[in-house]
């Protein structure tokens, strides 16, 4: 029997309470550092179908924007704290290479944690 949407949404809500910050990693999976980079506090959308999306504000209207050093951005990770803490995992993104310090936008519309109905 498949789990209900109510169950998946409850699990998504709990997951959102664990992942309080989003960080970026390079194409090797190492978290970025330098160039003004810092993890960003995240506000999660209300779950729909077990899916939550990350936003930069409590109104859930702005994408997360990061200052990044020269190098590559290859993915994002969810963390329990602004520094250190638990790395709960994340996803790869299309690798973007920065020749110098720049800005990276993690779009909520393209980013999600999905709690699936069945495996």
């Amino acid at each position: 029997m498949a789990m209900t949407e109510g169950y998946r949404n409850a699990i998504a809500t709990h997951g959102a309470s664990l992942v309080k910050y989003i960080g970026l990693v390079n194409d090797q999976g190492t978290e970025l550092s330098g160039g003004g980079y810092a993890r960003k506090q995240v506000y999660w959308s209300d779950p729909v179908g077990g899916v939550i999306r990350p936003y930069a504000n409590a109104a859930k209207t702005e994408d997360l924007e990061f200052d990044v050093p020269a190098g590559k951005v290859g993915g994002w990770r969810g963390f329990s704290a602004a520094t250190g803490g638990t790395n709960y995992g994340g996803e790869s993104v299309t690798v973007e290479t920065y020749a110098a310090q720049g800005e990276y936008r993690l779009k909520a519309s393209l980013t999600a944690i999905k709690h699936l109905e069945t495996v």
Side-chain angles (χ1 to χ4, degrees):
M1 178 175 109
M3 302 310 290
T4 68
E5 181 174 348
Y7 177 84
R8 293 189 321 270
N9 287 346
I11 295 299
T13 298
H14 179 68
S17 75
L18 300 174
V19 179
K20 298 185 180 299
Y21 292 85
I22 298 285
L24 299 178
V25 296
N26 64 20
D27 57 329
Q28 302 298 309
T30 302
E31 188 171 11
L32 304 184
S33 64
Y37 168 78
R39 294 177 188 169
K40 298 292 182 179
Q41 185 174 6
V42 63
Y43 297 87
W44 294 99
S45 66
D46 294 332
V48 176
V51 176
I52 54 176
R53 297 187 182 280
Y55 289 93
N57 61 357
K60 303 168 188 167
T61 58
E62 296 179 19
D63 296 325
L64 292 161
E65 293 186 10
F66 297 84
D67 292 322
V68 295
K72 296 181 180 181
V73 174
W76 65 271
R77 300 293 182 268
F79 294 94
S80 63
T83 60
T86 302
N87 176 348
Y88 288 108
E91 282 293 326
S92 296
V93 298
T94 300
V95 175
E96 290 193 33
T97 302
Y98 290 80
Q101 182 178 343
E103 189 174 277
Y104 182 86
R105 178 178 294 206
L106 187 67
K107 294 183 178 185
S109 63
L110 302 176
T111 307
I113 297 177
K114 300 176 182 179
H115 300 83
L116 303 176
E117 185 173 337
T118 59
V119 181

